[in-house]
Amino acid sequence: MNAVHGQQRTSIVAPERAAKPDRLFDREDEWAALVSFSTDPRPGTGLGVVMGRPRQGKTLLLESVARAAGGFYFCGQEATEAESLRRVGEEYARYRQVAQPSHWRDWKEGIDALLALGDARPLPVIIDSFPDLVAASPALPSVIHGALRHLDRAPLESRARLLLGGETAPVMTRLFAQSSPLHALAALKLDIQPLDFRRAAQLWGIDDPGLAFLVYTVVGGTPAYRYDYVGDDVPVDRDDFDAWVCRTILNPCTPLFHEARHLLDEEIGPWSHGACHSVLAALAKGCTTHGEIATFLGQQLTDALRALVLLRDHGVLQSQADGLQPGITRHSIADSLLAFEYAVARPRRAALEQSEAETLWEDARTDFNSLVAEPRFAQVCREWAARFADPATVGAEHVTASYGSLSDPSAPAGLDAEVVVRGRDGHMSGPLLSVGLARWHTGIDIHHLQRLRRILDGLGSREDVSRVHLALYGASGFSPELHAAHARGEVMLVDLERLYRGA
């Protein structure tokens, strides 16, 4: 991650003329927002923050904006304050094309000099990996706050656009929380999210929805994996998928084989690894509640909760209220690669380094289907319902979709619904709109529709179910009886083609 070098530009780059680089896939909205912010001609300094989990293209995005607008880019790293000041002084000298590097005594001198770059014109001043600098210089946020507050007073000469980048972690969250002094000064806040399942298929250039889903189940929507981690190796078709898994993620000679462990190191650091590994293993085995995870770990609920909170705060897992029992919170691994690692690769890691991947993958295929693909397919179905389905299909324009469970005396394990859709009123969940089952690896028949009807019967005394739509989501086909029920309007059928291309 090199700083932007070259001659300092003197003309303002209009947002409509700043073309997004071809190597930066998608991110049109983020690009437009960053270029508009960076080239805003109005007087006065500006502050923006760009967050994102590792490998999502945040650094590439910031570097590209700096190049397009002729701005200054510096990437921090773990170092002492003196070394960081020396490095940024050297980059500053190269940017200004002067022979002698700047020797700043402290960050106040450095920040003042960087903001002065915007005296002549609007110009982005980008400091990436900001938390690494704050770790060695805890006063840096206060220094920036003081510099920006001072420049907010007349005369409003500088038009520097200070952009602070960092991974979505407690440090960035704390620095820009509503209670933080920097929060009120930030005119732009971007959170660079992984690509959704539809855009991930476009990234990989896969037209077959079934193959696109399988690849998404392994590597998710992380752009860096497409080119940097598999050497542009894309499975040719579904028949090639198994071989692709063996020659990429299960191959010790490829970066993707080691990526999950490196990713966890970057997310939470080397401390607390034992508990976090065990929690992720529990989640990968299908434990979703506090109690289930604590039982799996053989620990007290409070001990398991500490690891859950740590993983959630770092964006490694996501938590959501049960769609049918709001008092229950359910957890899942947010990242596809981590889910694959803890369900498939980690239990077999020692053998993978000594045996043929093809033999081990054949043994692991059952776990992949039940522990990885099945829950990921349900997640994709929920995402479709919440983001891509036509409002007429789900019953409202703004909805939430979650997993739901219901106790049933006739079913000791209870009744589960993978896709529970409710109307959304602000941040609160509203009326129940749809209840659905999702199946990846097995066909769906009339018994699944009957199961949905039992769920409605169980809910009848709790809330109004008279307008609830029943839905079945399947990747392996529906029985003729279900197609007939669909024709009568009794149930909605959603297949892979509709998930990836329809509403």
Side-chain angles (χ1 to χ4, degrees):
M1 293 180 286
N2 298 320
V4 176
H5 305 319
Q7 185 175 0
Q8 187 174 353
R9 302 181 185 182
T10 57
S11 60
I12 296 175
V13 180
E16 64 272 12
R17 294 202 301 270
K20 181 172 69 70
D22 292 338
R23 64 178 182 144
L24 185 61
F25 177 80
D26 197 65
R27 308 302 190 194
E28 278 83 4
D29 292 342
E30 293 90 341
W31 176 261
L34 282 169
V35 172
S36 177
F37 173 80
S38 300
T39 60
D40 185 351
R42 290 176 294 181
T45 54
L47 175 64
V49 56
V50 181
M51 299 186 292
R53 293 189 63 226
R55 321 292 191 263
Q56 304 308 321
K58 170 186 59 63
T59 292
L60 175 59
L61 184 64
L62 291 173
E63 287 181 326
S64 300
V65 167
R67 289 191 182 96
F72 175 86
Y73 175 89
F74 174 76
C75 184
Q77 58 185 223
E78 293 181 353
T80 64
E81 179 174 288
E83 182 186 355
S84 296
L85 282 169
R86 182 171 63 252
R87 288 184 58 239
V88 73
E90 292 169 351
E91 297 295 345
Y92 175 83
R94 278 194 283 267
Y95 177 79
R96 296 196 63 199
Q97 296 185 316
V98 297
Q100 295 297 321
S102 299
H103 298 288
W104 296 318
R105 293 171 299 178
D106 53 33
W107 274 112
K108 183 180 186 308
E109 287 188 358
I111 294 299
D112 287 344
L114 292 175
L115 294 180
L117 293 174
D119 285 350
R121 66 178 180 91
L123 181 143
V125 175
I126 299 173
I127 301 178
D128 202 0
S129 294
F130 185 61
D132 286 338
L133 300 179
V134 174
S137 307
L140 180 54
S142 297
V143 171
I144 291 174
H145 179 263
L148 293 174
R149 292 296 297 173
H150 174 72
L151 289 172
D152 277 345
R153 304 191 189 101
L156 300 176
E157 294 177 354
S158 175
R159 286 176 289 172
R161 308 298 178 226
L162 180 61
L163 283 163
L164 305 177
E167 295 172 5
T168 304
V171 175
M172 291 295 286
T173 303
R174 184 179 70 251
L175 289 175
F176 295 94
Q178 289 190 355
S179 58
S180 165
L182 290 178
H183 174 82
L185 298 179
L188 176 71
K189 299 183 184 71
L190 288 180
D191 190 353
I192 310 301
Q193 294 288 326
L195 302 173
D196 62 56
F197 67 95
R198 287 186 170 185
R199 290 187 294 174
Q202 297 171 7
L203 170 72
W204 285 83
I206 300 175
D207 293 327
D208 174 11
L211 178 60
F213 170 74
L214 285 169
V215 172
Y216 180 76
T217 296
V218 175
V219 293
T222 298
Y225 299 155
R226 169 67 170 84
Y227 299 104
D228 299 339
Y229 282 74
V230 299
D232 204 18
D233 184 351
V234 180
V236 176
D237 51 32
R238 292 196 208 187
D239 292 335
D240 186 41
F241 173 75
D242 290 341
W244 176 80
V245 169
C246 293
R247 64 180 183 257
T248 55
I249 190 170
L250 297 184
N251 181 359
C253 297
T254 65
L256 203 58
F257 179 82
H258 308 280
E259 168 63 6
R261 286 180 290 181
H262 293 164
L263 188 63
L264 197 63
D265 282 343
E266 291 186 35
E267 296 278 17
I268 65 172
W271 57 89
S272 302
H273 260 197
C276 290
H277 280 309
S278 296
V279 166
L280 290 171
L283 291 166
K285 288 293 186 181
C287 302
T288 62
T289 66
H290 293 167
E292 290 171 349
I293 294 168
T295 300
F296 182 93
L297 269 58
Q299 293 182 340
Q300 295 294 323
L301 191 62
T302 53
D303 296 329
L305 186 59
R306 292 191 191 98
L308 279 169
V309 170
L310 180 63
L311 291 167
R312 185 186 61 205
D313 287 349
H314 284 82
V316 176
L317 62 81
Q318 53 193 12
S319 305
Q320 192 175 25
D322 187 290
L324 299 179
Q325 299 184 83
I328 298 176
T329 299
R330 297 194 177 274
H331 310 280
S332 61
I333 300 175
D335 186 273
S336 291
L337 186 64
L338 285 176
F340 183 93
E341 166 72 15
Y342 283 87
V344 174
R346 183 171 177 262
R348 301 170 175 86
R349 179 129 337 244
L352 279 169
E353 296 180 355
Q354 302 175 18
S355 307
E356 292 292 330
E358 289 78 8
T359 301
L360 290 171
W361 175 241
E362 184 178 352
D363 172 70
R365 209 35 165 101
T366 300
D367 282 349
F368 171 76
N369 286 330
S370 61
L371 301 178
V372 184
E374 193 77 29
R376 189 61 60 180
F377 180 70
Q379 180 267 327
V380 163
C381 294
R382 290 191 289 269
E383 187 174 355
W384 178 84
R387 296 187 54 190
F388 299 109
D390 188 282
T393 298
V394 293
E397 184 173 357
H398 302 290
V399 301
T400 63
S402 59
Y403 178 96
S405 60
L406 190 67
S407 300
D408 187 329
S410 63
L415 295 174
D416 301 328
E418 287 77 21
V419 188
V420 177
V421 180
R422 290 184 177 274
R424 185 175 62 198
D425 184 13
H427 296 290
M428 302 296 292
S429 294
L432 184 65
L433 301 175
S434 177
V435 176
L437 302 180
R439 298 290 184 270
W440 157 250
H441 198 55
T442 57
I444 301 182
D445 57 28
I446 197 67
H447 296 94
H448 294 91
L449 178 57
Q450 293 169 351
R451 186 179 182 89
L452 286 177
R453 288 169 175 159
R454 285 172 59 191
I455 292 175
L456 287 194
D457 290 342
L459 288 171
S461 61
R462 304 185 187 184
E463 53 187 311
D464 181 14
V465 298
S466 60
R467 298 183 180 181
V468 173
H469 300 285
L470 301 181
L472 293 169
Y473 303 79
S476 301
F478 305 96
S479 69
E481 294 90 345
L482 286 180
H483 282 289
H486 170 71
R488 295 192 298 269
E490 297 175 10
V491 65
M492 175 178 69
L493 304 181
V494 182
D495 58 11
L496 278 169
E497 182 69 24
R498 188 171 183 183
L499 285 172
Y500 272 84
R501 298 188 176 98

